[in-house]
């Protein structure tokens, strides 16, 4: 189990990313647009740097919904590999069976 503080920190980051997503996308579009002048692109870079650090989507971390484990998390299920295994053996995940050959 991950500490509660780590789970809360990740939730806080998700809220910040959602809050600044539109602004972040607009600034990135200006920066990537080669037709804009260098001054406009430079100003957009400076404005992007003024945004909170945790508003950057690359700082998000996929965590297991049940345990909060940061590694070995499958995107399709939102669970860590150990929990997928446990739930699959119990038959709680539809369509997932134990492999045998």
């Amino acid at each position: 189990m991950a500490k509660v503080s780590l789970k809360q920190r990740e939730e806080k980051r998700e809220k910040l990313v959602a809050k600044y997503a539109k602004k972040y996308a607009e600034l990135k579009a200006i920066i990537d647009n080669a037709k804009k002048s260098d001054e406009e692109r430079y100003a957009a870079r400076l404005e992007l740097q003024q945004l909170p650090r945790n508003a950057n989507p690359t700082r998000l971390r996929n965590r297991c919904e049940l345990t909060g484990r940061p590694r070995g998390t499958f995107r399709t299920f939102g669970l860590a590999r150990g929990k997928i295994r446990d739930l699959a053996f119990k038959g709680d995940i539809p369509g997932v069976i134990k492999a045998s050959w």
Side-chain angles (χ1 to χ4, degrees):
M1 281 299 247
K3 291 168 46 174
V4 175
S5 61
L6 294 177
K7 292 180 186 178
Q8 290 175 341
R9 183 187 308 162
E10 197 62 35
E11 289 172 10
K12 184 179 176 183
R13 282 184 181 150
E14 289 173 6
K15 289 177 187 174
L16 264 177
V17 168
K19 179 180 176 182
Y20 288 101
K22 185 177 178 183
K23 179 97 172 152
Y24 189 85
E26 290 172 357
L27 291 172
K28 288 294 281 182
I30 292 172
I31 292 169
D32 294 338
N33 188 354
K35 294 181 180 178
K36 297 278 185 182
S37 68
D38 289 340
E39 292 82 19
E40 287 176 315
R41 294 169 70 192
Y42 182 72
R45 276 192 209 102
L46 290 179
E47 198 171 340
L48 186 67
Q49 289 175 0
Q50 297 303 315
L51 295 180
R53 184 170 283 176
N54 284 331
N56 192 333
T58 58
R59 291 179 70 94
L60 290 177
R61 180 81 182 184
N62 289 334
R63 289 187 174 269
C64 176
E65 291 291 326
L66 299 177
T67 61
R69 179 180 166 86
R71 296 179 186 251
T73 304
F74 287 69
R75 288 182 185 164
T76 52
F77 303 109
L79 300 172
R81 56 187 169 77
K83 286 298 171 183
I84 290 175
R85 184 173 189 269
D86 293 342
L87 294 174
F89 284 159
K90 291 179 189 173
D92 292 340
I93 303 176
V96 178
I97 57 173
K98 187 175 186 292
S100 61
W101 59 88

